[in-house]
Amino acid sequence: MFVYAILVFSCMPLVYAEDENRIHTLQHDVDTLRAIVQVLTTENKLYKTEMELMTEKMRQLESKFDRELSGQKHEDKRLLITDQPTVSASHHVAFYTQLTKTLHLATQQMVVFDHIELNHGNGYSSLDGEFVCTLQGTYVLTWTITCSDNTAIETELVVNGIVKGHIFTDAGNHADYETNSGTAVLDLKVGDRVWIRVGHVYHGQIVGTGLGSSTFSGFLVNNQSL
């Protein structure tokens, strides 16, 4: 019994040494795994950042594509409106447009009449406010502008950038609305562009109600292409 006890006590240092080696090995493995996890976490953050950058770049490219596509659709629609081949077949051009909202503009800025009541020949576009001549001849063109209380507005009838007529709508010294109209009789060639713009006098706003308060219209009276 005494001999057995001696053997047990003599073997205990060996057991403790093996345990310490095993613990040391396990600790080393744990430290190694922690280092690997740290590296993977850092790489994951880098990948996440790169992915976010790529996502943002993709969003910007999609936005640019949508804008260019929208612009192309706008141009295609404008071409459809102004280049209809059926105009020549009908030999009839007339348009009547109205402003349905009040506009706050600057001098030399175009007045876009947004509601089309009549558009025989498809010469007028509510996208840009221009009437484009598709049949050469003599046209009657007229416009009406309404301004609000204590305002004064000059508007001009413009053909290819050249002023062909202008009117003053003046409510500057009285607290009620003022309406004025202008008319011009002009010879137009195919491709001529006609629009209404603000002149050099502008103090206030152009009133549009959709009930004829501010309008732009015209019609062909003498077809010179026949």
Side-chain angles (χ1 to χ4, degrees):
M1 184 68 179
F2 178 75
V3 174
Y4 176 76
I6 293 175
L7 290 174
V8 170
F9 282 112
S10 63
C11 292
M12 286 181 65
L14 296 176
V15 173
Y16 290 149
E18 290 179 358
D19 290 341
E20 288 180 358
N21 289 335
R22 189 178 298 108
I23 291 172
H24 179 74
T25 300
L26 290 173
Q27 183 64 46
H28 179 268
D29 292 342
V30 169
D31 292 340
T32 301
L33 289 174
R34 285 177 178 172
I36 293 173
V37 169
Q38 182 64 35
V39 171
L40 292 175
T41 301
T42 302
E43 291 181 350
N44 183 59
K45 290 180 179 179
L46 292 175
Y47 291 146
K48 184 178 180 180
T49 301
E50 292 178 358
M51 182 63 69
E52 290 175 350
L53 292 174
M54 292 178 64
T55 301
E56 177 62 20
K57 187 174 182 180
M58 180 65 71
R59 187 192 66 78
Q60 293 176 358
L61 290 174
E62 289 176 348
S63 178
K64 182 179 179 181
F65 174 77
D66 290 340
R67 289 195 303 269
E68 293 181 355
L69 181 61
S70 177
Q72 184 61 46
K73 288 181 178 179
H74 177 94
E75 181 64 21
D76 291 345
K77 187 174 182 179
R78 182 69 182 92
L79 292 174
L80 283 173
I81 292 173
T82 59
D83 297 336
Q84 286 283 353
T86 57
V87 174
S88 297
S90 66
H91 302 296
H92 178 54
V93 179
F95 70 97
Y96 173 52
T97 67
Q98 300 177 352
L99 186 64
T100 65
K101 53 190 175 184
T102 296
L103 299 180
H104 300 268
L105 303 174
T107 58
Q108 304 297 291
Q109 191 170 353
M110 182 183 295
V111 181
V112 179
F113 298 85
D114 56 305
H115 174 68
I116 298 176
E117 189 71 25
L118 178 72
N119 198 18
H120 292 317
N122 294 322
Y124 181 81
S125 169
S126 59
L127 298 176
D128 53 26
E130 288 186 346
F131 167 72
V132 179
C133 177
T134 53
L135 285 176
Q136 181 173 325
T138 303
Y139 287 79
V140 175
L141 300 162
T142 182
W143 75 106
T144 298
I145 298 295
T146 298
C147 66
S148 58
D149 302 351
N150 299 307
T151 62
I153 300 169
E154 177 192 12
T155 52
E156 300 171 335
L157 175 71
V158 182
V159 179
N160 300 328
I162 301 174
V163 176
K164 296 294 185 179
H166 71 100
I167 61 173
F168 285 95
T169 307
D170 186 2
N173 295 322
H174 45 90
D176 57 8
Y177 284 23
E178 182 71 21
T179 299
N180 202 359
S181 299
T183 302
V185 181
L186 300 173
D187 285 331
L188 299 179
K189 302 185 300 296
V190 174
D192 284 347
R193 297 178 179 271
V194 186
W195 65 90
I196 304 298
R197 75 182 181 192
V198 176
H200 296 284
V201 177
Y202 184 78
H203 303 288
Q205 58 191 10
I206 298 176
V207 177
T209 62
L211 300 174
S213 57
S214 295
T215 65
F216 178 34
S217 60
F219 55 92
L220 175 68
V221 295
N222 180 26
N223 187 353
Q224 298 174 6
S225 63
L226 296 177

